[in-house]
Amino acid sequence: MIAVVRILARRVALLVPLMLGIVLFVFLVMRFSDVDPASAFFQGANPTPQQLHDFREENGLLDPLPVRYVAFIGDLLHGDMGISALTRAPVVDQVMTALPLTLQLTFLGLGIAVVLSLAGGVTAAIYRDRLPDQIIRVVSLTGVAAPGFWLALLMIQYLAVDLGWFPTGGYINPADSFTGWLKTMTLPALALSLPVAAQLTRIVRTAVVEELDKDYVRTAIGSGLPPRVVVGRNVLRNALINPLTVLGLRVGYLLGGAVVIETIFSLPGMGKLMIDAVKNGDPAVVQGVVLTTATGFVVVNLVIDILYLLVNPRLREAT
């Protein structure tokens, strides 16, 4: 237990310089972009040069970059992401309003991807080089090649418009109607998750096949243990390391892909907030969305590190 706590403390300590680097990168990109925060704040109001100068002076935009960076870090530590140039509302409020929907979409898609990849990958490995394996490999290869936005458009056309099984877009809060929420989220989650599920299926199949070929599996089955018990207790536990690695990386894809998917399905999440901010020239909101998404990606990878320790005790002994 002490070793586990020590490992986790080391992982958490590494997050501090990582997050500072992410904040620095976003800070520099936004400061060297063509969007002027002062002009964005006064957009449509025809401000005088003196008004622009006064705004920049009041908000520290004329200070040296190191001073502005330190002030920016201080604001973030106090939960201040700035003010939206479009709505004049705190950016953190807009992010906190949009974030729950994006998390719902991301984790629903993640759950679908995990279930499909485990079912498909294990089945393909058990029936390797036979008909089920060949079918699953063809389907997974097709899924890897199919972009999420293309799948989304196909689903809208055939499942929503032609068959009428799902709405074409919009969002219903689960507190108002869980059934309505499930209908509005099913197509976006499928479009987001299927490419990830296809890639994970291939990786799970390869990992399980490698484990099935090891001596301990043949010994366990030869001693009389049912194959399903051996696969469930031993093979899957040892084979999940590589899929977990890819899963942690693909969460970033899910978060990024939500930008496009939310726009296609008119979901008021982080993706739509980002697109609207870019179109309307609202740099504070763009900055807030990017920082929040990057932080989520870092936290998810920390969770994946913890899962490594739970899945494979040998990692705890080697660390």
mmCIF file of all heavy atoms in Angstrom, residues 81-133:
data_model
loop_
_atom_site.group_PDB
_atom_site.id
_atom_site.type_symbol
_atom_site.label_atom_id
_atom_site.label_comp_id
_atom_site.label_asym_id
_atom_site.label_seq_id
_atom_site.Cartn_x
_atom_site.Cartn_y
_atom_site.Cartn_z
ATOM 1 N N MET A 81 -11.003 32.763 -15.505
ATOM 2 C CA MET A 81 -10.536 32.542 -16.867
ATOM 3 C C MET A 81 -10.750 33.752 -17.759
ATOM 4 O O MET A 81 -10.574 33.670 -18.983
ATOM 5 C CB MET A 81 -11.251 31.333 -17.480
ATOM 6 C CG MET A 81 -10.899 30.009 -16.846
ATOM 7 S SD MET A 81 -11.711 28.639 -17.727
ATOM 8 C CE MET A 81 -11.001 27.236 -16.869
ATOM 9 N N GLY A 82 -11.147 34.860 -17.170
ATOM 10 C CA GLY A 82 -11.383 36.055 -17.961
ATOM 11 C C GLY A 82 -12.858 36.292 -18.215
ATOM 12 O O GLY A 82 -13.731 35.579 -17.713
ATOM 13 N N ILE A 83 -13.130 37.320 -19.037
ATOM 14 C CA ILE A 83 -14.488 37.729 -19.358
ATOM 15 C C ILE A 83 -14.725 37.539 -20.845
ATOM 16 O O ILE A 83 -13.888 37.906 -21.672
ATOM 17 C CB ILE A 83 -14.738 39.201 -18.963
ATOM 18 C CG1 ILE A 83 -14.484 39.412 -17.475
ATOM 19 C CG2 ILE A 83 -16.162 39.625 -19.321
ATOM 20 C CD1 ILE A 83 -15.419 38.645 -16.567
ATOM 21 N N SER A 84 -15.878 36.987 -21.185
ATOM 22 C CA SER A 84 -16.221 36.800 -22.585
ATOM 23 C C SER A 84 -16.435 38.146 -23.258
ATOM 24 O O SER A 84 -17.166 39.009 -22.746
ATOM 25 C CB SER A 84 -17.491 35.954 -22.711
ATOM 26 O OG SER A 84 -17.994 35.978 -24.026
ATOM 27 N N ALA A 85 -15.794 38.328 -24.422
ATOM 28 C CA ALA A 85 -15.972 39.574 -25.159
ATOM 29 C C ALA A 85 -17.370 39.676 -25.757
ATOM 30 O O ALA A 85 -17.854 40.780 -26.024
ATOM 31 C CB ALA A 85 -14.926 39.674 -26.274
ATOM 32 N N LEU A 86 -18.025 38.547 -25.964
ATOM 33 C CA LEU A 86 -19.334 38.549 -26.605
ATOM 34 C C LEU A 86 -20.469 38.729 -25.604
ATOM 35 O O LEU A 86 -21.354 39.569 -25.791
ATOM 36 C CB LEU A 86 -19.529 37.245 -27.370
ATOM 37 C CG LEU A 86 -20.808 37.124 -28.191
ATOM 38 C CD1 LEU A 86 -20.804 38.151 -29.326
ATOM 39 C CD2 LEU A 86 -20.972 35.721 -28.750
ATOM 40 N N THR A 87 -20.451 37.969 -24.517
ATOM 41 C CA THR A 87 -21.554 37.995 -23.552
ATOM 42 C C THR A 87 -21.262 38.842 -22.322
ATOM 43 O O THR A 87 -22.167 39.108 -21.538
ATOM 44 C CB THR A 87 -21.876 36.569 -23.088
ATOM 45 O OG1 THR A 87 -20.739 36.026 -22.385
ATOM 46 C CG2 THR A 87 -22.180 35.667 -24.279
ATOM 47 N N ARG A 88 -19.991 39.223 -22.139
ATOM 48 C CA ARG A 88 -19.547 39.984 -20.957
ATOM 49 C C ARG A 88 -19.721 39.175 -19.667
ATOM 50 O O ARG A 88 -19.723 39.723 -18.568
ATOM 51 C CB ARG A 88 -20.303 41.317 -20.820
ATOM 52 C CG ARG A 88 -20.189 42.253 -22.018
ATOM 53 C CD ARG A 88 -18.767 42.704 -22.244
ATOM 54 N NE ARG A 88 -18.671 43.806 -23.173
ATOM 55 C CZ ARG A 88 -18.502 43.702 -24.485
ATOM 56 N NH1 ARG A 88 -18.398 42.482 -25.018
ATOM 57 N NH2 ARG A 88 -18.410 44.764 -25.249
ATOM 58 N N ALA A 89 -19.875 37.861 -19.801
ATOM 59 C CA ALA A 89 -20.028 36.979 -18.646
ATOM 60 C C ALA A 89 -18.689 36.298 -18.363
ATOM 61 O O ALA A 89 -17.858 36.150 -19.255
ATOM 62 C CB ALA A 89 -21.101 35.927 -18.920
ATOM 63 N N PRO A 90 -18.450 35.885 -17.114
ATOM 64 C CA PRO A 90 -17.207 35.153 -16.819
ATOM 65 C C PRO A 90 -17.099 33.879 -17.657
ATOM 66 O O PRO A 90 -18.066 33.131 -17.790
ATOM 67 C CB PRO A 90 -17.343 34.832 -15.324
ATOM 68 C CG PRO A 90 -18.294 35.859 -14.791
ATOM 69 C CD PRO A 90 -19.262 36.121 -15.905
ATOM 70 N N VAL A 91 -15.915 33.658 -18.194
ATOM 71 C CA VAL A 91 -15.702 32.482 -19.034
ATOM 72 C C VAL A 91 -15.918 31.204 -18.239
ATOM 73 O O VAL A 91 -16.452 30.214 -18.759
ATOM 74 C CB VAL A 91 -14.283 32.515 -19.634
ATOM 75 C CG1 VAL A 91 -13.966 31.210 -20.361
ATOM 76 C CG2 VAL A 91 -14.128 33.690 -20.581
ATOM 77 N N VAL A 92 -15.527 31.195 -16.966
ATOM 78 C CA VAL A 92 -15.647 29.979 -16.160
ATOM 79 C C VAL A 92 -17.107 29.555 -16.043
ATOM 80 O O VAL A 92 -17.407 28.350 -15.999
ATOM 81 C CB VAL A 92 -15.006 30.188 -14.770
ATOM 82 C CG1 VAL A 92 -15.777 31.214 -13.948
ATOM 83 C CG2 VAL A 92 -14.889 28.865 -14.028
ATOM 84 N N ASP A 93 -18.036 30.529 -16.010
ATOM 85 C CA ASP A 93 -19.454 30.181 -15.930
ATOM 86 C C ASP A 93 -19.915 29.498 -17.218
ATOM 87 O O ASP A 93 -20.681 28.515 -17.175
ATOM 88 C CB ASP A 93 -20.291 31.442 -15.684
ATOM 89 C CG ASP A 93 -20.066 32.017 -14.293
ATOM 90 O OD1 ASP A 93 -19.473 31.319 -13.447
ATOM 91 O OD2 ASP A 93 -20.459 33.180 -14.060
ATOM 92 N N GLN A 94 -19.461 30.004 -18.366
ATOM 93 C CA GLN A 94 -19.835 29.394 -19.632
ATOM 94 C C GLN A 94 -19.245 27.992 -19.762
ATOM 95 O O GLN A 94 -19.897 27.070 -20.258
ATOM 96 C CB GLN A 94 -19.368 30.278 -20.793
ATOM 97 C CG GLN A 94 -20.084 31.617 -20.855
ATOM 98 C CD GLN A 94 -19.601 32.454 -22.022
ATOM 99 O OE1 GLN A 94 -18.704 33.269 -21.884
ATOM 100 N NE2 GLN A 94 -20.192 32.264 -23.175
ATOM 101 N N VAL A 95 -17.996 27.833 -19.320
ATOM 102 C CA VAL A 95 -17.354 26.528 -19.384
ATOM 103 C C VAL A 95 -18.076 25.530 -18.479
ATOM 104 O O VAL A 95 -18.338 24.380 -18.865
ATOM 105 C CB VAL A 95 -15.865 26.637 -18.999
ATOM 106 C CG1 VAL A 95 -15.252 25.252 -18.800
ATOM 107 C CG2 VAL A 95 -15.093 27.401 -20.066
ATOM 108 N N MET A 96 -18.407 25.950 -17.277
ATOM 109 C CA MET A 96 -19.083 25.053 -16.347
ATOM 110 C C MET A 96 -20.493 24.687 -16.815
ATOM 111 O O MET A 96 -21.029 23.641 -16.440
ATOM 112 C CB MET A 96 -19.157 25.705 -14.954
ATOM 113 C CG MET A 96 -17.816 25.778 -14.244
ATOM 114 S SD MET A 96 -17.062 24.141 -13.944
ATOM 115 C CE MET A 96 -15.803 24.100 -15.222
ATOM 116 N N THR A 97 -21.101 25.541 -17.641
ATOM 117 C CA THR A 97 -22.413 25.226 -18.196
ATOM 118 C C THR A 97 -22.303 24.207 -19.317
ATOM 119 O O THR A 97 -23.131 23.293 -19.443
ATOM 120 C CB THR A 97 -23.084 26.508 -18.723
ATOM 121 O OG1 THR A 97 -23.254 27.434 -17.639
ATOM 122 C CG2 THR A 97 -24.447 26.199 -19.314
ATOM 123 N N ALA A 98 -21.260 24.349 -20.146
ATOM 124 C CA ALA A 98 -21.103 23.465 -21.306
ATOM 125 C C ALA A 98 -20.397 22.154 -20.971
ATOM 126 O O ALA A 98 -20.620 21.136 -21.632
ATOM 127 C CB ALA A 98 -20.334 24.198 -22.409
ATOM 128 N N LEU A 99 -19.528 22.171 -19.946
ATOM 129 C CA LEU A 99 -18.699 21.004 -19.651
ATOM 130 C C LEU A 99 -19.491 19.744 -19.309
ATOM 131 O O LEU A 99 -19.128 18.655 -19.783
ATOM 132 C CB LEU A 99 -17.734 21.341 -18.509
ATOM 133 C CG LEU A 99 -16.746 20.248 -18.105
ATOM 134 C CD1 LEU A 99 -15.855 19.870 -19.294
ATOM 135 C CD2 LEU A 99 -15.889 20.705 -16.920
ATOM 136 N N PRO A 100 -20.560 19.806 -18.506
ATOM 137 C CA PRO A 100 -21.282 18.566 -18.173
ATOM 138 C C PRO A 100 -21.765 17.801 -19.399
ATOM 139 O O PRO A 100 -21.683 16.573 -19.435
ATOM 140 C CB PRO A 100 -22.452 19.062 -17.315
ATOM 141 C CG PRO A 100 -21.948 20.321 -16.694
ATOM 142 C CD PRO A 100 -21.101 20.958 -17.738
ATOM 143 N N LEU A 101 -22.241 18.501 -20.430
ATOM 144 C CA LEU A 101 -22.726 17.800 -21.610
ATOM 145 C C LEU A 101 -21.576 17.108 -22.341
ATOM 146 O O LEU A 101 -21.707 15.963 -22.787
ATOM 147 C CB LEU A 101 -23.428 18.785 -22.560
ATOM 148 C CG LEU A 101 -24.154 18.151 -23.756
ATOM 149 C CD1 LEU A 101 -25.384 18.954 -24.122
ATOM 150 C CD2 LEU A 101 -23.232 18.057 -24.984
ATOM 151 N N THR A 102 -20.446 17.800 -22.465
ATOM 152 C CA THR A 102 -19.292 17.191 -23.133
ATOM 153 C C THR A 102 -18.801 15.973 -22.365
ATOM 154 O O THR A 102 -18.412 14.958 -22.967
ATOM 155 C CB THR A 102 -18.162 18.219 -23.285
ATOM 156 O OG1 THR A 102 -18.623 19.306 -24.090
ATOM 157 C CG2 THR A 102 -16.940 17.609 -23.936
ATOM 158 N N LEU A 103 -18.801 16.040 -21.036
ATOM 159 C CA LEU A 103 -18.402 14.885 -20.239
ATOM 160 C C LEU A 103 -19.379 13.729 -20.420
ATOM 161 O O LEU A 103 -18.971 12.564 -20.504
ATOM 162 C CB LEU A 103 -18.306 15.277 -18.764
ATOM 163 C CG LEU A 103 -17.173 16.242 -18.387
ATOM 164 C CD1 LEU A 103 -17.225 16.570 -16.905
ATOM 165 C CD2 LEU A 103 -15.814 15.654 -18.754
ATOM 166 N N GLN A 104 -20.665 14.039 -20.468
ATOM 167 C CA GLN A 104 -21.663 12.997 -20.710
ATOM 168 C C GLN A 104 -21.401 12.310 -22.053
ATOM 169 O O GLN A 104 -21.395 11.074 -22.147
ATOM 170 C CB GLN A 104 -23.071 13.594 -20.706
ATOM 171 C CG GLN A 104 -23.538 14.097 -19.357
ATOM 172 C CD GLN A 104 -24.830 14.900 -19.462
ATOM 173 O OE1 GLN A 104 -25.624 14.695 -20.376
ATOM 174 N NE2 GLN A 104 -25.033 15.824 -18.542
ATOM 175 N N LEU A 105 -21.178 13.120 -23.088
ATOM 176 C CA LEU A 105 -20.944 12.569 -24.421
ATOM 177 C C LEU A 105 -19.649 11.767 -24.457
ATOM 178 O O LEU A 105 -19.602 10.656 -25.015
ATOM 179 C CB LEU A 105 -20.889 13.707 -25.439
ATOM 180 C CG LEU A 105 -20.568 13.322 -26.890
ATOM 181 C CD1 LEU A 105 -21.609 12.341 -27.420
ATOM 182 C CD2 LEU A 105 -20.503 14.564 -27.766
ATOM 183 N N THR A 106 -18.591 12.298 -23.848
ATOM 184 C CA THR A 106 -17.291 11.633 -23.880
ATOM 185 C C THR A 106 -17.332 10.293 -23.162
ATOM 186 O O THR A 106 -16.872 9.269 -23.692
ATOM 187 C CB THR A 106 -16.215 12.526 -23.251
ATOM 188 O OG1 THR A 106 -16.118 13.743 -24.002
ATOM 189 C CG2 THR A 106 -14.865 11.838 -23.241
ATOM 190 N N PHE A 107 -17.891 10.270 -21.953
ATOM 191 C CA PHE A 107 -17.872 9.031 -21.175
ATOM 192 C C PHE A 107 -18.907 8.019 -21.669
ATOM 193 O O PHE A 107 -18.702 6.811 -21.542
ATOM 194 C CB PHE A 107 -18.056 9.344 -19.694
ATOM 195 C CG PHE A 107 -16.833 9.936 -19.069
ATOM 196 C CD1 PHE A 107 -16.765 11.281 -18.782
ATOM 197 C CD2 PHE A 107 -15.721 9.154 -18.819
ATOM 198 C CE1 PHE A 107 -15.617 11.841 -18.224
ATOM 199 C CE2 PHE A 107 -14.569 9.691 -18.269
ATOM 200 C CZ PHE A 107 -14.517 11.037 -17.971
ATOM 201 N N LEU A 108 -19.997 8.497 -22.248
ATOM 202 C CA LEU A 108 -20.928 7.565 -22.882
ATOM 203 C C LEU A 108 -20.267 6.924 -24.091
ATOM 204 O O LEU A 108 -20.352 5.698 -24.283
ATOM 205 C CB LEU A 108 -22.213 8.292 -23.294
ATOM 206 C CG LEU A 108 -23.307 7.431 -23.927
ATOM 207 C CD1 LEU A 108 -23.745 6.319 -22.981
ATOM 208 C CD2 LEU A 108 -24.510 8.291 -24.321
ATOM 209 N N GLY A 109 -19.577 7.738 -24.888
ATOM 210 C CA GLY A 109 -18.835 7.191 -26.021
ATOM 211 C C GLY A 109 -17.720 6.268 -25.575
ATOM 212 O O GLY A 109 -17.472 5.223 -26.200
ATOM 213 N N LEU A 110 -17.040 6.631 -24.487
ATOM 214 C CA LEU A 110 -15.965 5.782 -23.961
ATOM 215 C C LEU A 110 -16.511 4.440 -23.504
ATOM 216 O O LEU A 110 -15.915 3.383 -23.774
ATOM 217 C CB LEU A 110 -15.277 6.499 -22.805
ATOM 218 C CG LEU A 110 -14.057 5.822 -22.190
ATOM 219 C CD1 LEU A 110 -12.935 5.727 -23.215
ATOM 220 C CD2 LEU A 110 -13.581 6.587 -20.961
ATOM 221 N N GLY A 111 -17.649 4.450 -22.818
ATOM 222 C CA GLY A 111 -18.256 3.205 -22.362
ATOM 223 C C GLY A 111 -18.650 2.307 -23.528
ATOM 224 O O GLY A 111 -18.411 1.085 -23.504
ATOM 225 N N ILE A 112 -19.236 2.902 -24.569
ATOM 226 C CA ILE A 112 -19.602 2.120 -25.754
ATOM 227 C C ILE A 112 -18.369 1.525 -26.409
ATOM 228 O O ILE A 112 -18.345 0.352 -26.796
ATOM 229 C CB ILE A 112 -20.377 3.009 -26.751
ATOM 230 C CG1 ILE A 112 -21.730 3.416 -26.161
ATOM 231 C CG2 ILE A 112 -20.569 2.285 -28.077
ATOM 232 C CD1 ILE A 112 -22.499 4.424 -26.996
ATOM 233 N N ALA A 113 -17.301 2.343 -26.525
ATOM 234 C CA ALA A 113 -16.068 1.864 -27.164
ATOM 235 C C ALA A 113 -15.448 0.709 -26.390
ATOM 236 O O ALA A 113 -14.993 -0.280 -26.983
ATOM 237 C CB ALA A 113 -15.071 3.017 -27.287
ATOM 238 N N VAL A 114 -15.441 0.803 -25.054
ATOM 239 C CA VAL A 114 -14.846 -0.257 -24.236
ATOM 240 C C VAL A 114 -15.645 -1.556 -24.361
ATOM 241 O O VAL A 114 -15.075 -2.639 -24.548
ATOM 242 C CB VAL A 114 -14.763 0.192 -22.764
ATOM 243 C CG1 VAL A 114 -14.410 -0.982 -21.859
ATOM 244 C CG2 VAL A 114 -13.723 1.300 -22.603
ATOM 245 N N VAL A 115 -16.971 -1.460 -24.271
ATOM 246 C CA VAL A 115 -17.814 -2.666 -24.355
ATOM 247 C C VAL A 115 -17.666 -3.332 -25.715
ATOM 248 O O VAL A 115 -17.465 -4.562 -25.820
ATOM 249 C CB VAL A 115 -19.287 -2.308 -24.080
ATOM 250 C CG1 VAL A 115 -20.197 -3.496 -24.385
ATOM 251 C CG2 VAL A 115 -19.465 -1.876 -22.628
ATOM 252 N N LEU A 116 -17.757 -2.541 -26.785
ATOM 253 C CA LEU A 116 -17.662 -3.106 -28.132
ATOM 254 C C LEU A 116 -16.282 -3.712 -28.396
ATOM 255 O O LEU A 116 -16.169 -4.792 -29.007
ATOM 256 C CB LEU A 116 -17.965 -2.034 -29.177
ATOM 257 C CG LEU A 116 -19.409 -1.527 -29.234
ATOM 258 C CD1 LEU A 116 -19.551 -0.450 -30.302
ATOM 259 C CD2 LEU A 116 -20.388 -2.663 -29.511
ATOM 260 N N SER A 117 -15.235 -3.017 -27.951
ATOM 261 C CA SER A 117 -13.879 -3.511 -28.228
ATOM 262 C C SER A 117 -13.566 -4.774 -27.437
ATOM 263 O O SER A 117 -12.919 -5.694 -27.963
ATOM 264 C CB SER A 117 -12.852 -2.420 -27.927
ATOM 265 O OG SER A 117 -12.885 -2.051 -26.558
ATOM 266 N N LEU A 118 -14.003 -4.845 -26.189
ATOM 267 C CA LEU A 118 -13.777 -6.061 -25.412
ATOM 268 C C LEU A 118 -14.541 -7.244 -26.003
ATOM 269 O O LEU A 118 -13.989 -8.345 -26.173
ATOM 270 C CB LEU A 118 -14.177 -5.844 -23.952
ATOM 271 C CG LEU A 118 -13.230 -5.004 -23.098
ATOM 272 C CD1 LEU A 118 -13.802 -4.822 -21.706
ATOM 273 C CD2 LEU A 118 -11.851 -5.658 -23.012
ATOM 274 N N ALA A 119 -15.809 -7.017 -26.325
ATOM 275 C CA ALA A 119 -16.614 -8.101 -26.891
ATOM 276 C C ALA A 119 -16.046 -8.551 -28.238
ATOM 277 O O ALA A 119 -15.863 -9.750 -28.488
ATOM 278 C CB ALA A 119 -18.065 -7.652 -27.054
ATOM 279 N N GLY A 120 -15.741 -7.593 -29.094
ATOM 280 C CA GLY A 120 -15.239 -7.939 -30.417
ATOM 281 C C GLY A 120 -13.833 -8.507 -30.383
ATOM 282 O O GLY A 120 -13.532 -9.505 -31.065
ATOM 283 N N GLY A 121 -12.951 -7.890 -29.596
ATOM 284 C CA GLY A 121 -11.561 -8.333 -29.549
ATOM 285 C C GLY A 121 -11.405 -9.717 -28.950
ATOM 286 O O GLY A 121 -10.653 -10.547 -29.475
ATOM 287 N N VAL A 122 -12.100 -9.991 -27.855
ATOM 288 C CA VAL A 122 -12.001 -11.303 -27.214
ATOM 289 C C VAL A 122 -12.617 -12.379 -28.107
ATOM 290 O O VAL A 122 -12.065 -13.484 -28.266
ATOM 291 C CB VAL A 122 -12.674 -11.280 -25.830
ATOM 292 C CG1 VAL A 122 -12.732 -12.687 -25.238
ATOM 293 C CG2 VAL A 122 -11.926 -10.343 -24.889
ATOM 294 N N THR A 123 -13.765 -12.069 -28.705
ATOM 295 C CA THR A 123 -14.400 -13.034 -29.602
ATOM 296 C C THR A 123 -13.496 -13.360 -30.792
ATOM 297 O O THR A 123 -13.330 -14.531 -31.172
ATOM 298 C CB THR A 123 -15.744 -12.485 -30.116
ATOM 299 O OG1 THR A 123 -16.605 -12.219 -28.999
ATOM 300 C CG2 THR A 123 -16.422 -13.493 -31.043
ATOM 301 N N ALA A 124 -12.890 -12.330 -31.381
ATOM 302 C CA ALA A 124 -11.999 -12.548 -32.526
ATOM 303 C C ALA A 124 -10.783 -13.382 -32.130
ATOM 304 O O ALA A 124 -10.317 -14.224 -32.902
ATOM 305 C CB ALA A 124 -11.564 -11.206 -33.104
ATOM 306 N N ALA A 125 -10.264 -13.136 -30.916
ATOM 307 C CA ALA A 125 -9.089 -13.892 -30.466
ATOM 308 C C ALA A 125 -9.429 -15.357 -30.214
ATOM 309 O O ALA A 125 -8.652 -16.252 -30.563
ATOM 310 C CB ALA A 125 -8.530 -13.256 -29.200
ATOM 311 N N ILE A 126 -10.575 -15.606 -29.606
ATOM 312 C CA ILE A 126 -10.968 -16.991 -29.311
ATOM 313 C C ILE A 126 -11.233 -17.771 -30.605
ATOM 314 O O ILE A 126 -10.882 -18.943 -30.724
ATOM 315 C CB ILE A 126 -12.206 -17.001 -28.397
ATOM 316 C CG1 ILE A 126 -11.841 -16.446 -27.013
ATOM 317 C CG2 ILE A 126 -12.779 -18.408 -28.276
ATOM 318 C CD1 ILE A 126 -13.015 -16.291 -26.077
ATOM 319 N N TYR A 127 -11.835 -17.093 -31.598
ATOM 320 C CA TYR A 127 -12.142 -17.749 -32.876
ATOM 321 C C TYR A 127 -11.169 -17.295 -33.969
ATOM 322 O O TYR A 127 -11.554 -17.139 -35.120
ATOM 323 C CB TYR A 127 -13.573 -17.409 -33.314
ATOM 324 C CG TYR A 127 -14.639 -17.982 -32.420
ATOM 325 C CD1 TYR A 127 -15.177 -17.226 -31.383
ATOM 326 C CD2 TYR A 127 -15.107 -19.281 -32.604
ATOM 327 C CE1 TYR A 127 -16.161 -17.743 -30.551
ATOM 328 C CE2 TYR A 127 -16.090 -19.811 -31.789
ATOM 329 C CZ TYR A 127 -16.612 -19.033 -30.755
ATOM 330 O OH TYR A 127 -17.580 -19.556 -29.945
ATOM 331 N N ARG A 128 -9.910 -17.126 -33.610
ATOM 332 C CA ARG A 128 -8.941 -16.574 -34.562
ATOM 333 C C ARG A 128 -8.838 -17.422 -35.823
ATOM 334 O O ARG A 128 -8.873 -18.664 -35.767
ATOM 335 C CB ARG A 128 -7.569 -16.441 -33.917
ATOM 336 C CG ARG A 128 -6.951 -17.730 -33.469
ATOM 337 C CD ARG A 128 -5.547 -17.483 -32.974
ATOM 338 N NE ARG A 128 -5.273 -18.212 -31.748
ATOM 339 C CZ ARG A 128 -4.088 -18.301 -31.196
ATOM 340 N NH1 ARG A 128 -3.066 -17.687 -31.750
ATOM 341 N NH2 ARG A 128 -3.920 -18.965 -30.076
ATOM 342 N N ASP A 129 -8.737 -16.684 -36.928
ATOM 343 C CA ASP A 129 -8.608 -17.259 -38.266
ATOM 344 C C ASP A 129 -9.837 -18.048 -38.710
ATOM 345 O O ASP A 129 -9.794 -18.734 -39.735
ATOM 346 C CB ASP A 129 -7.368 -18.155 -38.376
ATOM 347 C CG ASP A 129 -6.078 -17.384 -38.120
ATOM 348 O OD1 ASP A 129 -6.037 -16.191 -38.481
ATOM 349 O OD2 ASP A 129 -5.138 -17.966 -37.556
ATOM 350 N N ARG A 130 -10.916 -17.936 -37.934
ATOM 351 C CA ARG A 130 -12.166 -18.536 -38.367
ATOM 352 C C ARG A 130 -13.149 -17.424 -38.748
ATOM 353 O O ARG A 130 -12.820 -16.246 -38.691
ATOM 354 C CB ARG A 130 -12.739 -19.438 -37.256
ATOM 355 C CG ARG A 130 -11.970 -20.764 -37.133
ATOM 356 C CD ARG A 130 -12.532 -21.640 -36.039
ATOM 357 N NE ARG A 130 -11.994 -21.282 -34.733
ATOM 358 C CZ ARG A 130 -12.382 -21.853 -33.590
ATOM 359 N NH1 ARG A 130 -13.315 -22.788 -33.598
ATOM 360 N NH2 ARG A 130 -11.833 -21.486 -32.451
ATOM 361 N N LEU A 131 -14.355 -17.810 -39.134
ATOM 362 C CA LEU A 131 -15.305 -16.855 -39.704
ATOM 363 C C LEU A 131 -15.587 -15.661 -38.775
ATOM 364 O O LEU A 131 -15.550 -14.505 -39.233
ATOM 365 C CB LEU A 131 -16.602 -17.567 -40.085
ATOM 366 C CG LEU A 131 -17.666 -16.676 -40.759
ATOM 367 C CD1 LEU A 131 -17.117 -16.082 -42.057
ATOM 368 C CD2 LEU A 131 -18.939 -17.471 -41.026
ATOM 369 N N PRO A 132 -15.896 -15.879 -37.457
ATOM 370 C CA PRO A 132 -16.153 -14.709 -36.600
ATOM 371 C C PRO A 132 -14.973 -13.737 -36.556
ATOM 372 O O PRO A 132 -15.164 -12.517 -36.578
ATOM 373 C CB PRO A 132 -16.420 -15.339 -35.221
ATOM 374 C CG PRO A 132 -16.888 -16.720 -35.517
ATOM 375 C CD PRO A 132 -16.116 -17.150 -36.723
ATOM 376 N N ASP A 133 -13.758 -14.290 -36.511
ATOM 377 C CA ASP A 133 -12.563 -13.443 -36.483
ATOM 378 C C ASP A 133 -12.440 -12.647 -37.775
ATOM 379 O O ASP A 133 -12.144 -11.445 -37.755
ATOM 380 C CB ASP A 133 -11.333 -14.322 -36.271
ATOM 381 C CG ASP A 133 -10.045 -13.510 -36.241
ATOM 382 O OD1 ASP A 133 -10.092 -12.330 -35.866
ATOM 383 O OD2 ASP A 133 -8.987 -14.061 -36.588
#
